[in-house]
Amino acid sequence: MMARSNILNLSEFMQGLIKRNPGEKEFHQAVEEVAASVIPFINERPQYIENQILERMTEPNRTIIFRVCWEDDRGNIRINRGYRVQFNNAIGPYKGGLRFHPSVNLSILKFLGFEQTFKNSLTTLPMGSGKGGSDFNPKGKSEREIMRFCQAFMTELSKYIGEHLDIPAGDIGVGVREISFMFGQYKRLKNEFTGTLTGKALEFGGSLIRKEATGYGCAYFTEEMLGHQGDSIEGKTCLVSGSGNVAQFTAQKLIHLGGKVITLSDSSGFIHDPDGLNNEKLEYIIDLKTNRRGRISEFAEKFKCKFYKDKKPWSVKGDLAFPCATQNEIELSDAKQLIKNGCKALSEGANMPTTHDAIDALNKAKIIFAPGKAANAGGVSVSGLEMTQNSIRLAWQREELEQRLKNIMHDIHQQCINYGTEKDHIDYVKGANLAGFVKVAKAMLAYGVI
Ligand code: NDP
Ligand code: 2IT
């Protein structure tokens, strides 16, 4: 006989989760959003309740925390904390990025790993979920310091990952430079050449379009949502936050699709360029942030536009909003500004950039809202395609990869429609959560009690 067969209640479920994971507020936030969609669904499908699928899905399979010791340029010994949260491998090996940022802690990595479960399920590719990183701050470090840190980090991480086990990639503070240092160290330690990291440089197994994929995917997803309503990005004014990998290529594709991108930001403030970015300005940003690691205010000086110190771009009037920096960067007050200014849609390039109360306000105002697990899934999708290319020892052409990325974003949109169609609108949060959930849940049910 089954040990349990009753109805789940959201607030009781959350009380239990909070008790088991005290103080992890970002993790609580990410779980609550999913549980609010999933609980009404599984209450009508007893096999999920009896088998405690949601309880199992909210407990990582394995969490690894380790010391990272390295030497700075002056010979001082430095100590950071490294993590890998291997969240769920029901539908494929653990897969997800590494974040290097001083704010990194277990709560943030658990929220990211948890969301990755649903995102990776939506991609249609066979990938489980994971996330990792360190509280290491790359800002102001020399190339050699970055290299020594990455090597020390990988020396420990290498014991827990592998091409069939866990395949990390980049996230905040981890781009092709860091992936290269880590891949070099992994290859040296393991004495093998396998595609155990994605986001590699093209010369050693990287994929075309990977660097562009998250941003391009986010723009494609937005085009799908607007297209579903008979509208498009063409002629729309776009607010983008961040100026790193995701922001850069979201902006680039929005411009290709006829949008006018008038803002970008970093952790020191935002720039407002009413004329809109063009290719020349974007090249400058990519060089500034990726190669020279400068501040966004330098853009304002160079192109004579306004820089707003310590402010976010959400008070500027625009049709479409693309938060592409970090979690909780759109709070209720920001959402109210967007609503007041006639914003039509918001698409999350970042992971969980919008708070719950802000999402509620946007929904009430009938603003189309695309959650990150759908809108930013293009990055991990092309990571999945990089894994495929590494396995078959081939490199596909740009056109083929771009078409596959487009198809995947279209499929994700279709899954959101299948599970999120309401009387008078599409609930993309519900659609993404349920579609992502069902595939993983079915696999977990099939395995029995594991
Ligand atoms: P990058 O490190 O390339 O860029 C991050 C950008 O966000 C920078 O402009 C940075 O400013 C800003 N930022 C970071 N932290 C903060 C903060 N606490 N407050 C204000 N601004 C901040 O990272 P990515 O572009 O790769 O990642 C951006 C977001 O997209 C993250 O949420 C990430 O999880 C998500 N994402 C990334 C994917 C990828 O493939 N890279 C895939 C899917 C989602 P500054 O330069 O001042 O630090
Ligand atoms: O949040 C994400 O999806 C990423 N940072 C990309 C993960 C990956 O494995 O490419």
Side-chain angles (χ1 to χ4, degrees), residues 99 139 171 173 210 214 243-246 267 289 295 325 350-351:
R99 178 178 290 191
K139 283 206 184 78
D171 194 77
R210 174 61 190 91
T214 311
S243 48
N245 174 268
V246 178
S267 55
K289 296 304 284 189
R295 309 310 296 156
N351 286 308

Side-chain angles (χ1 to χ4, degrees), residues 174-220:
V174 178
V176 68
R177 173 181 67 164
E178 292 73 21
I179 292 289
S180 303
F181 288 141
M182 288 191 272
F183 184 74
Q185 181 74 347
Y186 184 82
K187 189 170 73 58
R188 170 160 79 163
L189 291 168
K190 294 284 174 167
N191 200 28
E192 64 177 33
F193 196 110
T194 48
T196 300
L197 292 158
T198 62
K200 301 183 289 297
L202 295 178
E203 295 75 20
F204 45 90
S207 174
L208 286 165
I209 301 287
R210 174 61 190 91
K211 108 168 131 36
E212 295 88 345
T214 311
Y216 280 18
C218 181
Y220 292 145

Side-chain angles (χ1 to χ4, degrees), residues 95-97 116 119-120 131 167-171 198 210 351 376 379-380 383:
K95 178 87 196 88
Q116 200 85 40
K119 185 195 304 193
N120 291 5
K131 202 82 188 192
I167 304 92
D171 194 77
T198 62
R210 174 61 190 91
N351 286 308
N376 72 36
V380 74
S383 275

